[in-house]
């Protein structure tokens, strides 16, 4: 890979990491304090590996105590904001005080080092403090997104072997009160044994009924602190801090493990190098604590950096599309971490709501989760931010804990190529290979693999060492590489371009086209807000493109529009991109983390059962896609 476009500061880091990876990560680790230094930086045995072996640390202590001890107790640590207009500020001193209290309460409840605790709560201060408290006492939290239903929750409680479940009576979304406690009751009816109790935070005036003998109110839980220690446990670097289900849709959830040591070093380093996180930031990650982004970049990395983190509960466009911009102005937000799905959501309303608010505090916007298609990038970069600050894409997964491919903005910014996620960050060694293990040259598409473990890479799936080895390290025969499952190519400048999941590539007359390229082409037409495409089997060409499109406000489906869309795709991608049909829908099937579920669209056009859809955001989207598909078939046969 060429390093021509890489600024000298970044280049020297990349070269140092290549020459001596262990020395490189040891230096990165020394940016944080340790209770005891490691005996060995890295040890590997087949698919299993350990970082900073023998060292003692505690992720919570480095996120909180350290700043308070350094005299920064009065700095705002957490600002909670919600769609209902609530605001709550906790300083480092106040957050540590709350976390200490919850730690003592956890001990009073009988929670011990290594015990798993399920957190099925909205993104609110109590939930964040609880996560930190679990980590403080050496327990392992397992946060389940509070938008999942009872089945998905039951699976995750079972897989984690949690003894305790923490929940709230309700969360608020789009002005609606969503009952959570009822879902916990239903889920626990499906889990036999293991769970000793449920702790309930009552937030609504009505509250929710408690089951005698099993459920505990938040106040009764707090009362358990009496006589208990609130000190942190010194943890060996490889002990788990938390487990989190990957966003995959396999029937049995995969629980990725993240540790006290390696994970801490990885997210802290990436936070500085990729996002430029610094103590005077007001950092707003618009994600949710239910996802890895919420763990790493709402909670842990911003607090490790000593900055102010904003936690938001609710829908970004509620009560209206100006909500995010109002928060930016009010809190003087300096950095936003968001997702392409959020950008496309806001883009639907146009830039006018943003332009009404002062965005001058912003220094950068970073974005991950899916490809940030150039039209969406351009809208945010040019129309909303008027090219004043960069919009930076970066790539990672639940399993990687933090960014792997990105733009080292915090060290020295690379020129941005819209549509590319950037380059491997310092210390990351990646390659693109065919499924048979042959390395692809520049511009050739294959599967992105990672050549060696880095500190925040998940070292295990909870309780499933064989599955971990098979799913990640043994997928490419004869090659000892970590399999990401994503199709990608690297251009001659070393930039990585993602094309979708490897199993979603469309093959038209022997040409391989990534779903992302086609979706991006559709998004270039001003009428299109969102696009999801899949391959449909075709006798002549192997496959043709079947597209599902959501139109922006003010546009209606018509024969003329359909033709314009086909012309746009042809102009962008050439005649190889044969579009079989365009279906218009009002929403796409998406996971609750906002990723388009193309396999569901494929099941629609093949007339098959969609399989496991427990992670879907809105089941109505499947029915809608089916109806659009049926209507189109009826029109075509006329
Ligand atoms: P999750 O584990 O839920 O964070 O999902 C990880 C998956 O999201 C990756 O394997 C990619 O398929 C996709 N993804 C995340 N970030 C990006 C990005 N910047 N560009 C393209 N795909 C991305």
């Amino acid at each position: 890979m060429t390093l021509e476009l890489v600024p000298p500061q970044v280049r020297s880091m990349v070269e140092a990491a290549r020459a001596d990876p262990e020395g490189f990560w040891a230096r990165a680790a020394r940016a944080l304090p340790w209770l005891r230094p490691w005996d060995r930086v890295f040890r590997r045995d087949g698919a299993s590996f350990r970082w900073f072996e023998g060292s003692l640390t505690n992720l919570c202590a480095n996120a909180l105590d350290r700043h308070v001890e350094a005299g920064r107790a009065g700095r705002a640590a957490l600002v909670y904001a919600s769609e209902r207009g609530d605001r709550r500020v906790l300083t480092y001193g106040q957050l540590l005080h709350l976390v200490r209290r919850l730690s003592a309460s956890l001990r009073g409840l009988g929670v011990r080092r290594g015990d798993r605790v399920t957190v099925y709560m909205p993104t609110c201060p109590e939930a964040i403090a609880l996560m930190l408290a679990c980590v403080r006492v050496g327990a392992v939290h397992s946060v389940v997104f509070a938008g999942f239903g009872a089945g998905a929750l039951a699976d995750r409680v079972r897989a984690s072997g949690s003894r305790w479940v923490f929940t709230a009576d309700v969360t608020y979304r789009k002005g609606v009160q969503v009952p959570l406690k009822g879902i916990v009751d239903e889920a626990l009816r499906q889990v036999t044994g293991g769970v000793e109790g449920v702790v309930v935070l009552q937030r609504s005036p009505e509250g929710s009924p408690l089951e005698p003998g099993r459920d505990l109110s938040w106040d009764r839980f707090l009362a358990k602190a009496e006589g208990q220690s609130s000190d942190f446990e010194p943890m060996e670097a490889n002990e788990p801090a938390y487990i989190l289900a990957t966003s995959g849709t396999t029937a049995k959830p995969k629980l990725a493990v993240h540790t006290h040591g390696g994970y801490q070093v990885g997210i802290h380093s990436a936070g500085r190098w990729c996002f430029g996180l610094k103590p005077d930031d007001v950092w707003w990650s618009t994600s949710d604590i239910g996802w890895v982004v919420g763990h790493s970049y709402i909670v842990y990395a911003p607090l490790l950096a000593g900055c102010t983190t904003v936690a938001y509960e609710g829908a970004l466009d509620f009560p209206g599309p100006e909500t995010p911009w109002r928060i930016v102005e009010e809190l003087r937000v300096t950095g936003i971490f968001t997702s392409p799905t959020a950008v496309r959501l806001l883009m639907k309303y146009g830039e006018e709501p943003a332009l009404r608010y002062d965005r001058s505090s912003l220094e950068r916007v970073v974005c991950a989760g899916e490809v940030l298609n150039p039209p969406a990038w351009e809208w945010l970069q040019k129309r909303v931010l008027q090219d004043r600050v960069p919009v930076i894409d970066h790539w990672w997964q639940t399993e990687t804990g933090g960014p792997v491919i990105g733009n080292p903005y915090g060290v020295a910014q690379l020129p941005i190529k819209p549509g590319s996620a950037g380059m491997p960050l310092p210390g990351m060694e990646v390659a693109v290979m065919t499924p048979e293990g042959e390395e692809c040259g520049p511009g050739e598409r294959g599967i992105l693999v990672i050549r060696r473990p880095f500190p925040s890479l998940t070292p295990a799936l909870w309780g499933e060492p064989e599955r971990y080895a098979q799913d990640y390290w043994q997928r490419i025969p004869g090659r000892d590489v970590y399999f990401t499952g994503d199709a990608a190519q690297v251009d001659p400048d070393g930039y990585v371009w993602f094309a979708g999941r490897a199993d979603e590539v469309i093959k038209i007359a022997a040409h391989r086209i990534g779903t992302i390229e086609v979706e991006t082409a559709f998004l270039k037409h001003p009428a299109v807000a969102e696009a999801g495409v899949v391959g449909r089997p075709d006798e002549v060409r192997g496959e043709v493109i079947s597209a599902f499109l959501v139109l922006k406000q003010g546009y209606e489906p018509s024969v003329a529009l359909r033709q314009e869309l086909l012309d746009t795709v042809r102009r962008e991608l050439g005649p190889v991109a044969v579009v079989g049909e365009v279906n218009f829908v009002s929403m796409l099937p998406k996971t609750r983390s906002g990723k388009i579920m193309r396999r569901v669209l494929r099941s629609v056009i093949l007339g098959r059962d969609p399989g496991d859809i427990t992670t879907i955001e809105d089941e109505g989207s499947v029915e809608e896609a089916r109806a659009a598909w049926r209507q189109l078939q009826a029109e075509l046969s006329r």
Side-chain angles (χ1 to χ4, degrees), residues 327-388:
I327 291 177
V328 167
E329 175 179 290
E330 185 196 327
L331 303 179
R332 307 290 302 155
V333 171
T334 58
I336 296 183
F337 184 144
T338 194
S339 63
T341 192
V343 175
R344 293 191 300 255
L345 170 79
L346 297 175
M347 189 168 82
K348 241 180 9 187
Y349 301 103
E351 60 272 21
E352 194 274 330
L355 300 184
R356 274 190 270 139
Y357 292 87
D358 179 6
R359 290 146 288 129
S360 64
S361 57
L362 278 177
E363 294 167 14
R364 70 295 205 197
V365 175
V366 305
C367 202
E370 284 181 293
V371 168
L372 180 58
N373 316 77
W377 177 85
E378 208 159 306
W379 177 77
L380 187 57
Q381 174 74 57
K382 300 205 155 60
R383 303 268 199 98
V384 174
L385 300 170
Q386 288 153 348
D387 258 340
R388 202 181 54 77

Side-chain angles (χ1 to χ4, degrees), residues 547-563:
F548 290 79
L549 305 181
V550 178
L551 297 181
K552 282 188 196 154
Q553 276 182 344
Y555 289 92
E556 290 296 326
S558 68
V559 175
L561 177 61
R562 197 183 295 254
Q563 192 53 49

Side-chain angles (χ1 to χ4, degrees), residues 245-248 291-293 340 367-372 392-400 405 419-422 484-487 496-502 504 516 591 593 595 598:
T246 65
S247 68
W291 313 123
V292 71
V293 176
C367 202
E370 284 181 293
V371 168
L372 180 58
I392 290 173
D393 189 7
H394 61 289
W395 176 98
W396 50 301
Q397 305 178 306
T398 303
E399 294 89 331
T400 67
I405 310 289
S420 160
T484 67
D486 280 358
V496 182
W497 299 76
F498 286 96
R501 296 292 291 171
E504 286 173 355
I516 305 296
T591 63
S593 58
K595 291 178 208 292
R598 297 183 187 81

Side-chain angles (χ1 to χ4, degrees), residues 208-462:
S208 61
L210 299 182
E211 196 175 299
R214 187 195 71 181
D215 298 352
L216 215 57
S217 69
W218 199 260
D219 286 341
R220 295 244 339 263
F221 164 60
L222 289 181
K224 301 262 176 196
E226 194 66 34
Q228 299 288 335
S229 158
S230 63
D231 290 346
F232 60 80
E233 291 279 323
M235 304 298 289
E236 201 275 339
N238 296 283
E239 286 185 85
Y242 71 79
I243 51 183
L244 182 64
T246 65
S247 68
T249 51
T250 45
K252 186 161 177 253
K254 288 188 197 178
L255 297 180
V257 173
H258 285 300
T259 61
H260 275 264
Y263 172 74
Q264 188 180 162
V265 172
I267 61 164
H268 182 59
S269 308
R272 289 183 303 149
W273 302 339
C274 190
F275 310 149
L277 270 183
K278 54 187 187 329
D280 62 359
D281 268 326
V282 178
W283 180 257
W284 181 20
S285 171
T286 67
S287 184
D288 185 286
I289 55 162
W291 313 123
V292 71
V293 176
H295 286 62
S296 297
Y297 293 104
I298 294 177
V299 183
Y300 294 113
L303 297 177
L304 284 171
C307 70
T308 302
T309 186
V310 179
Y312 178 79
E313 178 183 4
L316 271 186
D317 60 342
F318 191 84
E322 70 292 342
T323 299
W325 311 111
R326 186 152 30 82
I327 291 177
V328 167
E329 175 179 290
E330 185 196 327
L331 303 179
R332 307 290 302 155
V333 171
T334 58
I336 296 183
F337 184 144
T338 194
S339 63
T341 192
V343 175
R344 293 191 300 255
L345 170 79
L346 297 175
M347 189 168 82
K348 241 180 9 187
Y349 301 103
E351 60 272 21
E352 194 274 330
L355 300 184
R356 274 190 270 139
Y357 292 87
D358 179 6
R359 290 146 288 129
S360 64
S361 57
L362 278 177
E363 294 167 14
R364 70 295 205 197
V365 175
V366 305
C367 202
E370 284 181 293
V371 168
L372 180 58
N373 316 77
W377 177 85
E378 208 159 306
W379 177 77
L380 187 57
Q381 174 74 57
K382 300 205 155 60
R383 303 268 199 98
V384 174
L385 300 170
Q386 288 153 348
D387 258 340
R388 202 181 54 77
V389 301
V391 175
I392 290 173
D393 189 7
H394 61 289
W395 176 98
W396 50 301
Q397 305 178 306
T398 303
E399 294 89 331
T400 67
V404 174
I405 310 289
N407 190 323
Y409 160 87
V411 183
Q413 193 188 312
L414 292 176
I416 293 176
K417 294 195 188 190
S420 160
M423 288 195 197
L425 291 166
M428 302 297 174
E429 288 180 44
V430 309
V432 174
M433 287 182 182
T434 65
E436 294 74 39
E438 265 172 57
E439 292 210 19
C440 300
E444 280 172 24
R445 180 167 305 146
I447 298 161
L448 186 85
V449 299
I450 300 173
R451 289 188 191 276
R452 46 177 288 132
F454 48 91
S456 68
L457 182 65
T458 185
L461 290 179
W462 185 258

Side-chain angles (χ1 to χ4, degrees), residues 143-212:
V143 181
V144 180
F145 176 59
F148 278 137
L153 174 60
D155 285 344
R156 285 157 181 73
V157 170
R158 219 180 285 115
S160 67
S162 290
R163 292 174 56 205
W164 290 91
V165 177
F166 282 72
T167 191
D169 54 349
V170 295
T171 181
Y172 302 95
R173 198 169 171 84
K174 290 224 169 217
V176 177
Q177 204 165 290
V178 185
L180 297 179
K181 169 63 167 47
I183 297 173
V184 170
D185 291 339
E186 201 184 323
L188 292 188
R189 279 196 285 276
Q190 301 171 30
V191 180
T192 43
V195 176
E196 287 173 28
V198 178
V199 177
V200 187
L201 175 70
Q202 306 280 17
R203 310 172 84 216
S204 68
E206 311 85 65
S208 61
L210 299 182
E211 196 175 299

